[in-house]
Amino acid sequence: MTTQMFGAPIKRREDPRLVTGNGRYLDDLGQGALEAAFVRSPHAHARIVDIDVADAVDVDGVIAIYTHEDLPGKVGEPLPLLIPHPTLTHPRTGYALAKDEVNHVGEPVVMVIARDRYLAEDACQRIRVTYDTLPVVVGVDTARAAEALVHEDAPGNIAAHMVQEVGDVEAAMAGAPHTLSLDLAVERSACMPMEGKGVLARWDAEDGRLRIHSSTQTTTGVRAAVAAKLDLPLDRVDCIAPDVGGGFGVKIMHPWPEEVLVPWAARLLGHEVKWTEDRREHFISSAHERAQLQEVQVGFDDDGRLLALDVKFWHDNGAYTPYGIIVPIITSTQLLGPYKPGTYRCEFWSLYTNTVLVTPYRGAGRPQGCYAMERTMDAIAAYLGIDRAEVRSRNFIQPEEMPYDHGLLFQDGRPLKYDSGDFPASLAKLKDLVGWDDFADYRARAEAEGRRVGIGIGCYVEGTGVGPYEGGHVQVESSGRVNVATGLTTQGQGHQTVFAQIVAQELGVRIEDVHVTTGDTRKMGYAVGTFASRAAVMSGNAIALAARSVRAKALRIAGEALEVSPADLEIVDGVVRVAGSPSTSIDLSTVAVLSNPLRYAFDDAARAATQFAGTFDPDKPPVAADDEPGLEGKDFYSPTQATFANGMHAAIVETDPVTAEITILRYCVIHDCGKMINPMIVEGQVHGGVAQGVGGALYERMVYDDSGQLLNASFMDFLMPYASEVPHIETDHLETPSPLNSLGLKGAGEAGCIPVTAVIASAIEDAEGFPITSMPISPVELWELRLRHADGVATSPTPRKEPAR
Amino acid sequence: MKISGNATLVAPPEKVWDAFHDPGVLSRCLPGCESLTPIGEHEYTMTVTAGVAAIKGTYDGQVALRNQQHPASFTLSAKGAGAPGTVDADVLVRLAPTEGGGTELTYDADAAVGGVIGGVGQRMLAGVTKKMAGQFFNAVDDDIAGVRKPEPAVAGAPRAGAATSTAPGAVVAGVQVDQSFMRGAAFGALVALAGVVVGAAVRGRR
Amino acid sequence: MSETRTELLHDVTLRVNGVPRTASVPARRLLSDFLRHDVGLTGTHVGCEHGVCGACTVLVDGAPMRACLMFAVSARGHEITTVEGLGDAPDARPCATGEPMNPVQQAFTECHGLQCGYCTPGFLTTITAYLQENPHPTEGEAREAISGNLCRCTGYQNIVKSVLRAAEIRDERAGNHDDEGAGA
C-alpha cells in the first residue's frame, strides 16, 4: 500500500525529540568549553582612547583578554562585504573587535575568555575603556540632513543610491488625469528569534581540523568566511548547524564577529571555546530591519488604473553594510506586487546611522514595499470613491499575461519575471473568506452598538526560491536506511519531515526509513543557505532529482537481478517489484548490497544478495565505466530565476472610540505558494509570519534616543506579541504551480508577514476615516491622530491637480 | 611587546640597587621563586611557579643583570621557553632619587612572548605584568625595611605558601588551568618576563 | 592590591524529576544554569534571562516558575519538574516512535504546536500545570493560559489547539488508565 507522501500533512519527525527535551541547541553543546563574553561599546559613535584590563586579570578563571591589536593578519581586517553592488558606492564593514572607533552601541571591543560565562562577565565588568565621544547620527531624517557623518568617507551618510526606471514616468505623470502624493514611514523591528546567536569551536591539533558549530542559517557561508579569515584550507574546516531556535533572517548574516573570533581563540588556546549571546547582546549587536521613509507619487486615470508610479525612499542601514543593499533592492522590486504600474521609477538612498546593522528580517524589504504600494492603492480608492478591492483588481496582471516581465532586475540579479499566479482568483477567495461584500452591513450593525470597526486589505507578490543552487544527496544503505543530505539549514521549518516526504514519494520507501541531515558541511559541502523562502524550492527539487537518480539506478540493478525490464518495475515501501506481479521482487536494501559489488555477506541483507550472485554478465565490469558503487545519487537544482508566490490578506479591526485601543477581530489569509509538500507545515509558516506582522504593525519598534542608546533593549520594553495579541488566523489557499520546477513548488516562509502592516493600516484607516501613514501605530498615537484630524490639522493625501472632468 | 611602568619605593636608590643585586633578596621577594642559583656574576638560574592569570606552570629560567650604571640604571635580561610559553626580554631599570629620600623606579621592557601565555592577549599580559611588577617592588621595599618573608625551601620542592592547588580546572594547551594561581603569588614582573626555559621540572598535567 | 578570590560555593541539593541532584555552586547561580549545566538537563531553555519569554519555565513543587529568575540556592529542598520529567507522569504513554509523552507533549506533536522547538519546553510545563487546575478550558481560556509565554515561530494558533487537544487526551487517558502501554 503506497501512502501519498507529497502533499500530505503528516506529523513532524523531529517533534518527539524536541518535545521531550532532547533538542540540541548551541548552548546545549560544549559543556566543557571555555566561554567568551564581550565588552561592547556603550557609545554610539566614539574613538577608543584606552583599554585598561588591569583589574580584570584578577578575576579567578580568566584565561585571555583580546583587543583588536591581538588579531593577526586577516582576522584583524574588516569583516567581508558579502554582497557588493555597483550602486553600493560607499560600503563599510566593521572589524571583529573595534579598531580605533566604534559606530554603534553594542559594537564588540574586547573579548574575554574564561572558565565560564559568569566569570567572563565579571572580568568584562572590570575592564575600563576610555572613549572620546563623537557626534551621533540616529534616524533617517538626521542621516539625510548629514550635519554629522557616521563615516568620514561616506558623504551625506549615503552608502548607496540606486535608481530603476521602466518607461517614462515623468511624461506619464504629467499626462495623468489624477495624481496623489503620500509620505509614509515604517519603523525598525527585528527578527528576535527565541534563541540568540551562538558559536562553539574546537580545534583538533592532531588532525589539523577546525570544527565550528554555529546557530546559523548558512553553514557553508560561515565555513568559507572563517576559513578565509584564519587562512585554513576549506577542507580542514567543518561547520555544523545544531538545532536552531529560530532565525528569521538574522542568522543568515555572516560571519558575525563572534563567528570569527571564537574559532580563532579556540585554535590559539588549544581548547574548545563557546559563546552564546544573551538577550541584551542580541538587541544591541545583531541586526534590525524595516525602517524606511517613503515618498510616493502616483498618476492614475478615472478608473483608478495606474499610469505612473514614482517612489523614493530612504533606507536606514545602520552602521555598516556587510549584507549590501539587498533589503532596499527587494523593497524596490517587490513593491510592485500583483499590479501593472504603467510606468515605474524607484529611487532609494541607503543611509548610515550610528545604530545596529540592518540585514534581512523575514520579508527582507518586501513588507516595506507592500506597504508603500498598498497604501497607495487605498489612497486612490479613497480619492475616486471606488471600492478598494475593485481598484486593485483593475490593476492586476491577468493570468493570461503570465509570464510577466517587469523589466527590472530582482535581488538575484535576474529578471523580475512573474512565472505564474492567478490574482483575480486569489482576490475572489479572499473576499469570500472575509465577507468583503457584506462588510457594510457588519459595520452598520457595529455602529448601532457604538462600536467602531474597519476592514483592510493587502496584496503582495513574493519572489521565492532564489539561486544560485542547492544540492541533494540520497543514499540507500544495505540495511534499507535512506540517508538524505542537503547543505542548507533548518530553524523550525520541518525540513527533516518535508524532505523525507519527497524522498519517500520519489523513491517509494517508507518515510520511517528516511533520515535527513541539513546544515552540515561534512555531509553536503555545496550549499547557499536558508533565506528568501527558498528551501523547499531549492533543496526540495535537488533532493527530488537525487532521489530520482537513485530510483533509476535501483530499477536498473533490480531489473538485472530479476531479469525483467526496469520499465516493468515499481518500488513500494522499500521493495522493488514487478508492477502487477508483486511476488517477483527484491528488497531495496538488497539492491543496495548489489550496487556495491564487494559481495561480502556481512549481514542478512548481504546474504540475501548472494542468491543473485549468478546473474551477472561476465563480459561487463562489476562497476561500469560511467557508474559508481553504491546506491546513491547527488544532484543540484539551479533555476534561471526566482519563482513568484503571492497572497492577499484582509483584517477586520475594532478601534475603541474612547481609548483608541486597537483589536483585530478577524484576520484572513489567502496564500498561493504553488504545490505544498506538507500543508500543515506551510500553514504553520503562514501563522508565524502573520504573528510577526501583527507585532510589526502594532507593537514592535526599536526606540533609539538622540545619543544612539537603544532604550528598549529587552523583552519588557520591546513588545512582541503573546497569544493574546495574535488573533485567530483564518487561511485558505490557492495552488498555481510553478512552471519552473518539476515539483511545482514556490516558497512560503515569509509569506505571512509581508502585507500585515499594510492591511492593519488599511483597516484602521477604514475605521477612523483618516489616513494612516506611519506604522507601527499604538493606541496613544491613534488617539493623537484623532485629535489632529478633528482639529483639521492633518491632511489627506495631496492631489497635485484638479481632477479632470 | 613593550611594557613600561614605574613604582615609588621608600628606600633610597643605593639600597634598592643593592637589593636587586642581592640574590637573597631576589629569592625572598620574587613570588613563586622556588630556587635561585648563581652561575656567574649577577647571573642566575631560577625555578619559579609562574603564569599569567589562570595559566599556570613551573618554569626554569635564566636571568642576568647587565649594563650596570651604579646606582642609576641596569638592564635585566631574561630568556627561556617552557610549556606555557616562551619569553625573551630585556628590561631597562632606572632608579632616581625622590625628594623624600626614596626611589622613583622606572622600567622599560622589550619582550617577545610566545606559546600559550603569548596567546592570552597583549593587554592581559601587560596588565598582569605591571601588576606583578608592582607587587615585586613593594616586596623589595618591605624587605629592605626589614619585613622579611621566609626563605625558600630546598630547591625543587614547592615553596611554603606558594600556590599549589589541585583543584581541577580546564586544560589549556596541555597546561592545567588553575584557579588558585594568583592567590599568594606576589609575583615579580621581572619573573613574568624572565625565566622560562624548557625544563624537566615543568609539571604539565595532561 | 586586589587578590583573586574564588567564589564561595554552596551545596545545593534538590529533586529534579524525582531524582535527588547535588552540585556546589555560587549563590548567584541561576536555577536555569544549574539545571542546564550543573545537572546536565538541557531541555530547559534560556530566551531572555529577564523573566518575560517563559522558555525557562519549570515546575517548582508543581507550580510554573521562571528558572531564570530563581537562584539554585533558593530552590534547595524543592521538587523541580523539567520537560525531561514530563514523560514520567502517570498519564504519560509511549508515542509511535517510543518516547513516553504526557498528554501535552502528545498533543503538541499531533497539532504541529512547535516549529523550532526552543520555546516549547516552557509551554509544555506551563500547560501541564494549567490543565491540572483547569482540565476543560474553552478556547479563550486556553489562549489566555498561554499568554505568558512567547513563541516567535508558530503564531500561537496551533499551540492553542494543542492545549485543547491535550485536555482531550488527558480525559481519554484518565478513562483508560488500566489499558496497555507503559504507564509511568
Side-chain angles (χ1 to χ4, degrees):
Chain A
M1 181 201 65
T2 319
T3 321
Q4 174 71 11
M5 275 288 128
F6 189 101
I10 65 164
K11 290 181 358 183
R12 292 196 339 163
R13 309 202 46 234
E14 41 270 79
D15 285 355
R17 189 168 61 82
L18 296 176
V19 300
T20 52
N22 290 305
R24 291 178 80 242
Y25 302 85
L26 198 293
D27 193 59
D28 303 340
L29 311 173
Q31 293 289 352
L34 301 174
E35 294 201 64
F38 288 84
V39 176
R40 297 182 182 276
S41 170
H43 298 293
H45 198 196
R47 256 186 278 282
I48 299 170
V49 173
D50 184 51
I51 302 173
D52 180 358
V53 310
D55 289 338
V57 305
D58 286 337
V59 173
D60 170 27
V62 169
I63 310 295
I65 301 176
Y66 301 114
T67 61
H68 181 266
E69 299 143 339
D70 296 305
L71 306 182
K74 294 184 193 148
V75 183
E77 287 170 9
L79 296 167
L81 173 64
L82 292 178
I83 312 175
H85 193 276
T87 63
L88 179 58
T89 49
H90 294 79
R92 280 293 290 268
T93 60
Y95 292 87
L97 290 173
K99 174 180 193 250
D100 300 332
E101 73 169 35
V102 290
N103 286 294
H104 68 87
V105 170
E107 192 164 350
V109 179
V110 184
M111 175 165 72
V112 173
I113 310 277
R115 227 187 27 261
D116 72 35
R117 175 74 181 216
Y118 286 65
L119 302 173
E121 289 189 14
D122 286 346
C124 285
Q125 285 172 1
R126 293 175 176 212
I127 292 175
R128 279 184 292 272
V129 185
T130 313
Y131 299 93
D132 271 342
T133 56
L134 296 168
V136 170
V137 177
V138 174
V140 171
D141 274 331
T142 313
R144 273 198 296 210
E147 279 163 23
L149 291 180
V150 175
H151 302 294
E152 286 306 310
D153 53 357
N157 289 315
I158 298 172
H161 174 217
M162 182 168 178
V163 182
Q164 297 170 90
E165 186 161 4
V166 181
D168 188 342
V169 167
E170 214 176 296
M173 193 75 72
H178 314 282
T179 60
L180 285 174
S181 296
L182 290 88
D183 284 331
L184 303 166
V186 181
E187 294 221 29
R188 270 196 180 199
S189 181
C191 307
M192 283 306 144
M194 295 315 301
E195 184 202 21
K197 312 196 299 288
V199 191
L200 168 67
R202 181 167 187 271
W203 171 252
D204 184 332
E206 284 178 8
D207 286 345
R209 297 196 72 83
L210 179 65
R211 188 184 72 193
I212 305 167
H213 283 87
S214 180
S215 193
T216 179
Q217 291 172 230
T218 172
T219 47
T220 44
V222 172
R223 178 179 74 153
V226 174
K229 279 288 183 196
L230 300 190
D231 271 320
L232 287 169
L234 205 59
D235 90 326
R236 290 291 163 135
V237 181
D238 299 318
C239 185
I240 304 139
D243 287 321
V244 174
F248 311 112
V250 69
K251 296 174 180 176
I252 192 62
M253 167 56 206
H254 68 282
W256 290 102
E258 302 84 2
E259 282 175 327
V260 173
L261 295 169
V262 167
W264 170 73
R267 186 169 63 157
L268 184 61
L269 296 172
H271 196 282
E272 269 193 313
V273 178
K274 179 168 74 166
W275 171 78
T276 52
E277 66 182 355
D278 62 32
R279 188 49 57 179
R280 179 174 164 78
E281 276 185 292
H282 188 81
F283 270 98
I284 62 174
S285 69
S286 57
H288 305 160
E289 205 235 88
R290 298 277 193 265
Q292 287 178 3
L293 292 184
Q294 305 169 328
E295 284 174 12
V296 178
Q297 208 191 342
V298 63
F300 52 99
D301 65 16
D302 294 335
D303 294 324
R305 284 205 180 77
L306 300 172
L307 299 172
L309 186 61
D310 190 351
V311 178
K312 292 185 177 54
F313 68 91
W314 292 262
H315 174 83
D316 178 350
N317 68 23
Y320 301 114
T321 54
Y323 213 82
I325 45 169
I326 287 297
V327 172
I329 288 177
I330 293 176
T331 300
S332 62
T333 47
Q334 301 269 254
L335 182 148
L336 293 170
Y339 312 113
K340 292 176 280 199
T343 59
Y344 176 56
R345 185 174 183 279
C346 187
E347 182 173 10
F348 72 78
W349 293 262
S350 192
L351 300 169
Y352 287 111
T353 58
N354 286 113
T355 60
V356 161
L357 318 182
V358 171
T359 65
Y361 162 30
R362 198 175 203 168
R366 292 178 194 80
Q368 298 93 311
C370 175
Y371 180 69
M373 189 74 248
E374 294 302 291
R375 304 282 52 240
T376 302
M377 283 296 174
D378 277 0
I380 293 171
Y383 180 83
L384 293 175
I386 300 177
D387 176 86
R388 288 168 289 163
E390 180 59 28
V391 166
R392 286 166 166 83
S393 87
R394 290 177 187 177
N395 284 286
F396 279 162
I397 298 164
Q398 297 299 316
E400 55 272 15
E401 292 175 285
M402 295 292 187
Y404 187 87
D405 191 339
H406 276 289
L408 297 165
L409 288 180
F410 189 40
Q411 62 144 328
D412 55 359
R414 291 171 174 270
L416 187 75
K417 198 159 87 172
Y418 296 175
D419 51 319
S420 68
D422 188 342
F423 307 132
S426 290
L427 183 62
K429 275 209 163 191
L430 179 69
K431 289 171 72 173
D432 192 49
L433 182 60
V434 76
W436 181 266
D437 293 327
D438 302 325
F439 188 72
D441 291 340
Y442 178 83
R443 191 209 305 273
R445 286 198 303 276
E447 275 174 3
E449 296 168 13
R451 295 166 54 212
R452 197 179 292 190
V453 297
I455 190 169
I457 185 172
C459 310
Y460 70 89
V461 166
E462 184 191 358
T464 67
V466 297
Y469 66 83
E470 283 301 330
H473 179 244
V474 176
Q475 176 201 41
V476 183
E477 289 186 12
S478 60
S479 60
R481 178 188 165 108
V482 182
N483 298 319
V484 178
T486 187
L488 54 64
T489 58
T490 309
Q491 307 86 40
Q493 302 92 334
H495 290 159
Q496 288 177 327
T497 305
V498 298
F499 295 151
Q501 287 177 256
I502 290 177
V503 173
Q505 180 83 29
E506 294 282 340
L507 195 47
V509 293
R510 301 180 320 140
I511 195 166
E512 293 78 12
D513 294 329
V514 182
H515 302 268
V516 177
T517 303
T518 63
D520 187 334
T521 58
R522 301 171 299 189
K523 292 291 184 77
M524 171 60 77
Y526 287 104
V528 184
T530 302
F531 58 95
S533 307
R534 68 193 292 276
V537 175
M538 302 301 294
S539 286
N541 277 285
I543 287 168
L545 292 171
R548 284 174 204 160
S549 73
V550 171
R551 183 172 190 276
K553 182 167 184 179
L555 295 184
R556 177 173 58 72
I557 294 172
E560 284 168 12
L562 296 173
E563 296 179 309
V564 300
S565 160
D568 296 331
L569 291 170
E570 61 181 10
I571 310 179
V572 177
D573 285 345
V575 177
V576 187
R577 64 193 199 193
V578 175
S581 178
S583 53
T584 310
S585 69
I586 178 174
D587 287 345
L588 198 62
S589 55
T590 308
V591 175
V593 176
L594 292 176
S595 73
N596 186 10
L598 293 174
R599 301 291 169 81
Y600 295 123
F602 47 80
D603 62 12
D604 290 339
R607 248 191 303 278
T610 58
Q611 67 178 287
F612 299 102
T615 62
F616 62 90
D617 182 338
D619 291 327
K620 287 198 185 132
V623 180
D626 59 349
D627 198 2
E628 293 175 8
L631 190 53
E632 60 183 288
K634 182 155 69 170
D635 214 332
F636 293 86
Y637 175 67
S638 183
T640 53
Q641 60 159 85
T643 175
F644 290 84
N646 74 85
M648 307 190 180
H649 298 192
I652 297 177
V653 310
E654 176 163 358
T655 58
D656 188 294
V658 175
T659 66
E661 190 179 343
I662 302 158
T663 312
I664 305 172
L665 299 177
R666 287 183 65 204
Y667 198 91
C668 298
V669 170
I670 299 293
H671 72 93
D672 178 355
C673 59
K675 293 231 160 280
M676 296 183 281
I677 306 166
N678 185 322
M680 178 187 77
I681 288 181
V682 172
E683 199 178 64
Q685 290 294 306
V686 171
H687 291 165
V690 170
Q692 285 181 305
V694 169
L698 297 174
Y699 303 103
E700 297 169 17
R701 71 186 81 201
M702 291 296 175
V703 180
Y704 275 96
D705 71 7
D706 289 337
S707 63
Q709 297 298 323
L710 183 59
L711 299 179
N712 63 339
S714 82
F715 285 167
M716 285 180 281
D717 302 306
F718 176 79
L719 306 176
M720 296 197 298
Y722 287 108
S724 40
E725 284 73 55
V726 180
H728 175 58
I729 301 168
E730 302 163 57
T731 59
D732 198 354
H733 70 268
L734 225 77
E735 279 184 26
T736 57
S738 171
L740 300 179
N741 63 77
S742 68
L743 297 179
L745 301 172
K746 298 179 180 177
E750 293 163 281
C753 75
I754 294 170
V756 186
T757 294
V759 170
I760 303 290
S762 176
I764 296 172
E765 188 168 299
D766 187 53
E768 298 287 324
F770 51 75
I772 305 291
T773 58
S774 178
M775 293 293 276
I777 188 163
S778 66
V780 170
E781 287 160 333
L782 179 58
W783 190 79
E784 283 171 357
L785 276 177
R786 283 178 179 171
L787 292 182
R788 287 194 2 233
H789 282 278
D791 291 345
V793 171
T795 55
S796 306
T798 328
R800 274 290 154 87
K801 57 183 202 213
E802 287 302 306
R805 291 281 173 240
Chain B
M1 186 172 76
K2 293 204 188 318
I3 303 177
S4 299
N6 61 313
T8 307
L9 282 70
V10 169
E14 290 78 9
K15 288 221 169 134
V16 176
W17 175 279
D18 292 342
F20 277 125
H21 288 77
D22 176 354
V25 174
L26 291 180
S27 71
R28 283 194 295 278
C29 296
L30 289 166
C33 175
E34 302 186 8
S35 73
L36 189 78
T37 309
I39 55 173
E41 173 113 48
H42 302 305
E43 245 184 274
Y44 313 92
T45 59
M46 203 164 47
T47 303
V48 309
T49 303
V52 177
I55 303 178
K56 174 190 172 175
T58 299
Y59 305 79
D60 287 342
Q62 257 183 347
V63 170
L65 302 172
R66 303 187 215 285
N67 297 336
Q68 338 281 62
Q69 313 279 329
H70 179 274
S73 75
F74 62 91
T75 296
L76 183 141
S77 293
K79 202 197 269 261
T86 65
V87 174
D88 191 339
D90 289 310
V91 191
L92 175 61
V93 180
R94 279 185 271 251
L95 308 172
T98 64
E99 275 188 16
T103 305
E104 184 68 23
L105 184 158
T106 52
Y107 63 88
D108 292 284
D110 198 343
V113 182
V116 178
I117 52 166
V120 301
Q122 285 180 44
R123 286 174 194 264
M124 173 129 167
L125 207 49
V128 169
T129 300
K130 288 165 108 161
K131 183 150 293 197
M132 295 195 287
Q135 291 166 349
F136 172 56
F137 298 136
N138 282 341
V140 169
D141 215 14
D142 285 349
D143 194 273
I144 294 170
V147 179
R148 291 227 161 168
K149 300 240 161 64
E151 293 290 334
V154 172
R159 176 175 170 233
T164 50
S165 167
T166 53
V171 176
V172 177
V175 179
Q176 185 75 3
V177 171
D178 194 309
Q179 63 179 345
S180 61
F181 166 67
M182 287 299 284
R183 203 183 320 130
F187 185 78
L190 300 176
V191 179
L193 298 176
V196 282
V197 153
V198 178
V202 170
R203 285 205 300 267
R205 276 154 278 183
R206 284 186 186 264
Chain C
M1 191 68 62
S2 49
E3 275 189 0
T4 317
R5 248 172 315 187
T6 318
E7 282 184 277
L8 180 61
L9 301 180
H10 303 268
D11 283 333
V12 173
T13 298
L14 38 78
R15 284 172 70 86
V16 183
N17 301 328
V19 175
R21 301 282 205 157
T22 303
S24 269
V25 294
R28 61 178 176 162
R29 194 88 162 139
L30 299 175
L31 179 60
S32 48
D33 291 330
F34 178 85
L35 292 169
R36 288 177 50 74
H37 301 298
D38 299 302
V39 178
L41 293 172
T42 56
T44 302
H45 299 146
V46 176
C48 71
E49 275 185 333
H50 48 276
V52 178
C53 76
C56 67
T57 305
V58 297
L59 302 181
V60 181
D61 299 332
M65 298 218 178
R66 312 290 210 215
C68 74
L69 293 182
M70 285 179 69
F71 293 121
V73 289
S74 57
R76 269 199 278 220
H78 290 276
E79 188 91 34
I80 311 291
T81 310
T82 69
V83 60
E84 292 97 332
L86 295 179
D88 298 334
D91 60 357
R93 301 280 182 276
C95 67
T97 45
E99 293 89 340
M101 293 189 187
N102 80 357
V104 185
Q105 292 167 307
Q106 179 70 30
F108 266 68
T109 66
E110 289 180 15
C111 299
H112 189 31
L114 65 150
Q115 291 181 25
C116 81
Y118 198 75
C119 72
T120 307
F123 276 98
L124 296 173
T125 49
T126 301
I127 297 166
T128 298
Y130 174 75
L131 290 176
Q132 305 273 49
E133 308 282 313
N134 302 277
H136 303 106
T138 63
E139 186 179 325
E141 288 167 349
R143 186 176 284 272
E144 194 174 316
I146 60 163
S147 287
N149 290 61
L150 281 173
C151 173
R152 201 58 169 162
C153 291
T154 66
Y156 306 104
Q157 311 294 299
N158 290 341
I159 299 180
V160 173
K161 282 191 193 154
S162 300
V163 177
L164 300 172
R165 177 70 190 127
E168 280 175 6
I169 297 172
R170 269 181 109 249
D171 283 347
E172 286 164 19
R173 292 183 181 178
N176 300 326
H177 59 260
D178 292 325
D179 69 353
E180 85 291 16

